[in-house]
Structure formats: structure tokens, C-alpha cells
Amino acid sequence: MSNREAETIEKILSLKRKRDGIILAHNYQLGEVQDIADFVGDSLELSQNAAKTDANVIVFCGVHFMAETASILCPDKTVLLPDMDAGCPMANMITAERLREKKKEYPKAKVVCYINSSAEVKAESDVCCTSANAIRVMESLAAEEVLFVPDQYLGHYVSTKTDKKMILWPGYCPTHVRIQPEHITKLRQEYPQAKAVVHPECKPEVIALADEVLSTGGMIRFANRQEVEEMIVGTEIGMIHRLRKENPGKRFIPVSEQAVCPNMKLITLEKVLWSLEEMAPEVKVPEKTRLKAKAAVDKMLEIGRG
Ligand code: 13P
Ligand code: SF4
């Protein structure tokens, strides 16, 4: 670590204390950002942590919808996203207006919305889910017909685990669709002992080749198991940092160096420091939207992890 980086970290930690702040970071963040966080986790764990923290300021090292979810749950806290351009392209593949139109086509359907969506879209939905609890959320619904937005691939994976009729929105994650079946097949030949673990945002033909389909938090727990010694990791590359850090004796093989989410990488230590200094940029959801979105997020939190 350079002197400059050490100095930045020292300033971040001292300012965080002064502001009564907490730093939450997603598993895809840059390693140095994960290392200064109070908590690192998947989307569900991060929203659970945001909901229970008593800190006044939440510095969210992730993408916009994650900071927005924290703001939905904690309206009295200041939620900072160190780079406002850190969005999620998948979340931008649907708008509340287009969802309202679609709902008219399927008046009997319940709307399940992946947490990778805007507050406005959540406000139009019956319940949220993450990759960690999508199947369980689906099982909790009495309805036989479900409009699932916006990730068609997570939706497709869930549809293979339920008898409910699912209407899938055609959204997708540009990072996870870069992962190809050939990546897994080739690595399986090279590392025949390794477990192949993929994220449910991957395409069905990739999922079909996996031993396990897990959220990023699920991958961490799986890797911690004693019997797992080698793991082919089918998700965004940032995941490798924590897996290696927590399991020094094990081998983690990324499926593709191309699986990078450029939005996640926009958050840097310098920007974290700047956001604490300026107390900006702040993410805040208008109250009317917040209350409707909160109902969908709360329902998901009651259900918990799958
Ligand atoms: P997790 O909830 O599994 O961490 O996934 C979030 C995400 O954005 C995946 O691309
Ligand atoms: Fe969105 Fe994909 Fe990046 Fe996750 S990895 S934040 S789904 S673009």
C-alpha cells in the first residue's frame, strides 16, 4: 500500500467516526474499497444492514439502486453514493410507466421486482426479491400468475423452480451475459475437481452447466465450506477478492476476465473520502414513492433469505 493510500484510508476512517457514519460495500467493489467497509455483502445483506444500523450516515459503496434501497428503509439518515454515475444498466431497462402499461395486460398477475430496479418501479410492485431469495419470495405468493421484472434470466431460473406462470420482462445484466458456456466447459477440463458456481443473472445455457446457482453472499458461504477446495466463479470479477481473502488456502478461478461491472468500479477510495468531506452526493427518494416502494421491500425483508 502506498503512503498516499494509507493517508486516504486514515482520513476516511477518522471522518467516518466524526460523521457517525457506516460504510457498506457490495461484493463487486474494488478490493481496497471492500477492505475499508464496515460490512461487505450481497444486495439482501446490505439492505438488512441498512435497515438495522443506528449510524446517521450511510456511505454506500455499490450502485444507485442499492443506495436508493437504503434510503427507502432509512429516510432519516443521510445516504451517500460516492459516484452518482454508478448506475445499474439492468435497472434502467424498465420504467414505472412501462411497468404500469404491462400490468394492464396482466391484471391478475402479482408483480415481483428484482431489487436491481428504481424506487419508482419498486413502488409499482407487490414484492421485491434479490438473487438470494427469489424462489422463496415466489413461493410466498398466493397468486398463480407473476409478472417478474426486470431480469429475464433470474426470472427464467426461478421459473424452472416453480409451477406458477411467469411473465418475464426482457431485461438483463450486460456483465453476466458476457459469461459463455464455453468458459465453464473449458475450465472444467482444466480443473476437474473444481465446483462451478454461477450467479442466477447468467444465461440459462451457463446455469445448466453449474453445480450451484447462488447469490454473491451464497457464494461466500459455499466457499467457506470445508469440502470446497477449488471453485470456478461465474460472476463479476470483484467477487474473487473476498473469496481469496477469506479462504487463503483455496483456489478461485474467475470464469471470465471480461465479467466486469464498470459501474461498480466507479467507487474509489478518493471518492469515498470526498463524499464524506462534502456529505454528497446524497440519494433521497420522494416520500410518496418511498412509502409505496418500502411496502414491497419490507415484504421481502420479512421473507428473508431463501
Ligand atoms: P447479489 O445480490 O447476488 O449480490 O447480486 C447483485 C448484483 O447486482 C448482481 O449483478
Ligand atoms: Fe447491474 Fe450487472 Fe452491475 Fe449487477 S453486475 S450492478 S446487475 S450491471
Side-chain angles (χ1 to χ4, degrees):
M1 187 190 301
S2 68
N3 282 349
R4 185 152 172 261
E5 189 170 312
E7 228 174 85
T8 308
I9 292 172
E10 215 180 284
K11 283 188 194 160
I12 291 173
L13 298 180
S14 115
L15 205 48
K16 184 188 75 169
R17 275 190 296 273
K18 198 169 137 201
R19 303 271 195 231
D20 184 22
I22 183 174
I23 301 178
L24 302 181
H26 186 263
N27 287 320
Y28 296 160
Q29 287 290 291
L30 293 170
E32 61 267 30
V33 173
Q34 294 190 29
D35 291 345
I36 53 131
D38 295 287
F39 181 80
V40 185
D42 67 15
S43 308
L44 180 64
E45 293 160 345
L46 291 169
S47 41
Q48 287 166 333
N49 265 269
K52 72 174 189 217
T53 184
D54 44 21
N56 279 322
V57 177
I58 300 174
V59 184
F60 216 111
C61 301
V63 289
H64 191 266
F65 75 82
M66 296 179 174
E68 215 178 36
T69 306
S71 171
I72 289 167
L73 291 165
C74 319
D76 302 330
K77 299 185 193 310
T78 305
V79 179
L80 303 173
L81 178 64
D83 189 324
M84 250 336 184
D85 287 335
C88 168
M90 182 208 287
N92 297 335
M93 289 177 189
I94 184 168
T95 62
E97 200 185 328
R98 286 170 65 207
L99 176 54
R100 277 193 291 273
E101 286 300 310
K102 200 73 178 167
K103 280 162 69 173
K104 283 185 204 151
E105 278 178 50
Y106 300 96
K108 287 204 205 98
K110 289 279 178 203
V111 180
V112 176
C113 127
Y114 190 25
I115 197 157
N116 297 37
S117 54
S118 67
E120 289 81 10
V121 166
K122 288 183 175 75
E124 287 293 331
S125 304
D126 293 291
V127 59
C128 274
C129 74
T130 76
S131 58
N133 61 11
I135 297 166
R136 191 148 165 199
V137 166
M138 196 65 75
E139 280 166 0
S140 76
L141 293 172
E144 282 312 307
E145 197 178 58
V146 170
L147 178 53
F148 190 93
V149 300
D151 186 4
Q152 61 180 305
Y153 296 124
L154 173 64
H156 178 272
Y157 172 64
V158 173
S159 78
T160 64
K161 307 280 171 193
T162 173
D163 292 332
K164 293 190 201 304
K165 180 181 172 210
M166 288 177 71
I167 302 113
L168 307 180
W169 193 270
Y172 62 91
C173 164
T175 299
H176 282 85
V177 296
R178 288 193 199 127
I179 299 172
Q180 300 298 328
E182 302 78 64
H183 293 136
I184 312 261
T185 331
K186 188 169 164 282
L187 290 171
R188 273 207 188 278
Q189 277 162 5
E190 258 177 78
Y191 303 96
Q193 307 298 328
K195 295 280 181 205
V197 180
V198 307
H199 196 274
E201 285 176 16
C202 291
K203 288 182 179 177
E205 52 272 34
V206 171
I207 288 182
L209 297 174
D211 294 307
E212 301 285 337
V213 183
L214 296 167
S215 73
T216 62
M219 289 183 190
I220 296 286
R221 278 182 290 281
F222 185 75
N224 288 342
R225 286 199 204 168
Q226 211 184 348
E227 71 273 18
V228 178
E229 283 168 11
E230 287 189 339
M231 190 167 136
I232 298 168
V233 185
T235 192
E236 208 272 347
I237 201 92
M239 194 67 215
I240 299 292
H241 174 78
R242 191 171 160 205
L243 287 168
R244 287 190 180 147
K245 188 173 163 184
E246 292 185 11
N247 303 278
K250 300 187 180 184
R251 190 199 293 262
F252 298 98
I253 311 124
V255 279
S256 165
E257 299 288 340
Q258 310 278 304
V260 179
C261 175
N263 296 283
M264 285 281 180
K265 305 309 186 230
L266 286 175
I267 311 295
T268 60
L269 288 177
E270 283 75 16
K271 289 181 196 168
V272 172
L273 175 57
W274 177 83
S275 72
L276 273 165
E277 279 168 352
E278 300 295 321
M279 290 295 278
E282 187 180 352
V283 175
K284 193 118 191 105
V285 180
E287 193 58 10
K288 209 169 139 205
T289 308
R290 187 188 79 81
L291 288 173
K292 285 168 79 183
K294 187 171 184 295
V297 177
D298 280 346
K299 251 184 237 159
M300 173 190 83
L301 291 178
E302 273 163 34
I303 293 164
R305 183 168 285 279

